[in-house]
Amino acid sequence: MDYLRKVVVLFLMLQYFGWNTLAGKISGAEVINFGHRPPTWAPLMQMSANLSDITSIRSFFDFRTLDPEGIIFYGDTKEGKDWFVLLLRDGIPEMQIGKANTLVSVQGGPKLNDGVWYNLELRSEGTFVVLEVNKRPALVVGVESDQTEAVLTGKIRLALGGMLVDKKKLLHQFKPELDACIRTGNWLNLSTPWDTDPDWESRPCFPEIKKGSYFPGTGIAVFNTTDLPGAETEEKGITIEVNGSWQGTLLSLQSPGFEFILSEKKNKDLTMELKEGSESGNTALSFEITKLTLTILEHSLLLDGEVKESESSNHLQGCLEKILIQGQDIDLDQASFKHSSISSHSCPAKALNELT
């Protein structure tokens, strides 16, 4: 049953109702979507300023996410010798600070990954870094070093969605990708524009969000089963469960000598085609599925779904509220490839296919 180890899972989508902005310079006060980019530690955007031009090391912005983990904000001086990073872990704010020969990691405050807008403020008060959430102190971290300078000179660098130092400097590793939005940012009280990643395409933030993974339709998410939980359990096969509201082509499973395609045709039929070697077979159902469980064994495919009558299209559009493989939640940020149009942890409160 070697194909179960090699099969590739692809979630297929339609054309995104695109909104792209060429990379270059951007105002830090704009609405900025952190999602829709490949896995990387490189910043989404960055800026620098002379410390002599700064009267207060203080920045504040509105922040919203449903993602439990990822990097929000980074800053450093001395070209990265002294640095700090603000991130989420399990939805809770965490600060890591590197200063000379000292490393500090502190977590605390309220959970921020509930899809609500929060006002965050970060400021430096001597040897302390303070995080406020909605005007209330959430984290206060003190760092003292025998190499601390009384007066800082040179430049300060800020970055969003990534870091400017090697991740090996971190005291506690984390996943950098973050499906989040920020707005109305004020950065050191400066109007300096930010330099953006040349490969970044700006996309709008949904007015309101709900949990799930949103497929607006212009690419694929790919998983190798060797990277998925329980793929080595051959006798039980691979079980995939999907919950949500969608229409169109859902997924494809592929490996040498084996192919399974689940798609909806123009006649509203849900067609399942399984090919192994030179043999093939197919089944058709005239429904839109809201819950789907597939179990792929060596010579069979099991389907269990809760269905309702609905019109369909040829390509997937909608919100997958839950994706389980072998009973475990799958994070699309862990895909071996994910198209930039996909929102890994959030759907619009009313998905495109729910409005039609």
Side-chain angles (χ1 to χ4, degrees):
M1 198 173 184
D2 188 55
Y3 69 83
L4 282 181
R5 295 194 183 92
K6 297 178 181 176
V7 70
V8 178
V9 182
L10 299 88
F11 293 91
L12 308 176
M13 297 158 303
L14 184 72
Q15 185 177 4
Y16 182 52
F17 53 94
W19 187 331
N20 297 333
T21 301
L22 295 176
K25 300 283 187 178
I26 190 172
S27 167
E30 293 187 22
V31 177
I32 299 166
N33 192 331
F34 277 33
H36 310 293
R37 58 194 303 245
T40 179
W41 286 90
L44 178 69
M45 46 198 293
Q46 59 184 291
M47 63 164 286
S48 64
N50 292 318
L51 284 164
S52 58
D53 297 333
I54 297 171
T55 57
S56 175
I57 300 181
R58 172 177 175 263
S59 297
F60 53 89
F61 52 93
D62 291 343
F63 173 80
R64 185 191 69 182
T65 190
L66 286 164
D67 198 336
E69 184 171 337
I71 185 170
I72 304 173
F73 184 41
Y74 167 93
D76 72 24
T77 58
K78 303 178 185 176
E79 297 185 345
K81 292 182 180 179
D82 292 347
W83 56 269
F84 85 92
V85 61
L86 174 67
L87 63 127
L88 289 187
R89 193 191 303 272
D90 297 323
I92 300 173
E94 177 176 313
M95 277 198 283
Q96 295 193 39
I97 300 174
K99 193 174 185 66
N101 56 354
T102 303
L103 287 176
V104 176
S105 179
V106 180
Q107 186 184 49
K111 280 203 168 190
L112 303 181
N113 66 324
D114 57 1
V116 175
W117 284 104
Y118 290 94
N119 180 261
L120 305 187
E121 179 178 321
L122 271 169
R123 64 179 182 271
S124 176
E125 296 182 354
T127 58
F128 293 91
V129 179
V130 179
L131 170 67
E132 287 190 355
V133 177
N134 291 344
K135 309 301 182 183
R136 295 183 178 181
L139 271 179
V140 179
V141 183
V143 183
E144 184 66 60
S145 170
D146 56 9
Q147 299 181 32
T148 299
E149 298 178 10
V151 178
L152 289 175
T153 58
K155 288 185 176 292
I156 184 172
R157 302 187 298 179
L158 303 182
L160 297 177
M163 303 196 311
L164 297 172
V165 294
D166 195 306
K167 65 179 182 179
K168 294 179 181 178
K169 290 189 174 185
L170 292 169
L171 184 61
H172 192 187
Q173 295 291 324
F174 59 90
K175 175 184 69 69
E177 299 90 352
L178 185 65
D179 180 1
C181 287
I182 64 171
R183 66 185 183 187
T184 61
N186 184 301
W187 313 98
L188 307 176
N189 202 30
L190 299 174
S191 58
T192 306
W194 293 68
D195 295 313
T196 63
D197 183 333
D199 296 325
W200 178 59
E201 295 180 347
S202 175
R203 296 180 185 270
C205 295
F206 302 130
E208 296 181 3
I209 57 176
K210 64 181 182 180
K211 289 184 178 180
S213 299
Y214 188 58
F215 293 79
T218 208
I220 59 175
V222 180
F223 290 86
N224 292 308
T225 51
T226 51
D227 300 326
L228 297 174
E232 72 282 355
T233 311
E234 296 183 4
E235 65 277 7
K236 294 183 178 179
I238 297 176
T239 298
I240 304 170
E241 181 179 338
V242 181
N243 292 266
S245 175
W246 75 85
Q247 58 186 18
T249 301
L250 177 63
L251 60 87
S252 170
L253 310 172
Q254 299 175 4
S255 73
F258 170 83
E259 182 177 22
F260 166 71
I261 298 173
L262 181 65
S263 61
E264 287 181 303
K265 304 299 184 183
K266 292 182 179 179
N267 60 6
K268 304 180 186 179
D269 285 349
L270 175 65
T271 301
M272 299 171 292
E273 184 174 2
L274 178 64
K275 296 181 180 180
E276 188 170 3
S278 60
E279 298 182 359
S280 66
N282 63 74
T283 304
L285 300 172
S286 296
F287 298 104
E288 177 189 348
I289 291 185
T290 57
K291 179 180 179 181
L292 176 69
T293 302
L294 298 172
T295 300
I296 301 169
L297 303 174
E298 184 170 6
H299 298 293
S300 64
L301 171 70
L302 307 181
L303 171 67
D304 178 22
E306 297 174 2
V307 300
K308 64 179 182 179
E309 295 187 23
S310 176
E311 295 186 1
S312 63
S313 64
N314 290 331
H315 304 279
L316 176 64
Q317 290 179 297
C319 178
L320 302 186
E321 296 171 7
K322 182 183 293 185
I323 304 171
L324 299 175
I325 296 183
Q326 306 299 75
Q328 297 187 33
D329 283 308
I330 297 302
D331 185 347
L332 290 189
D333 286 336
Q334 305 305 311
S336 59
F337 172 81
K338 178 173 68 82
H339 192 270
S340 62
S341 66
I342 301 171
S343 297
S344 296
H345 294 273
S346 63
C347 296
K350 284 192 174 293
L352 184 61
N353 62 305
E354 296 174 335
L355 299 173
T356 58

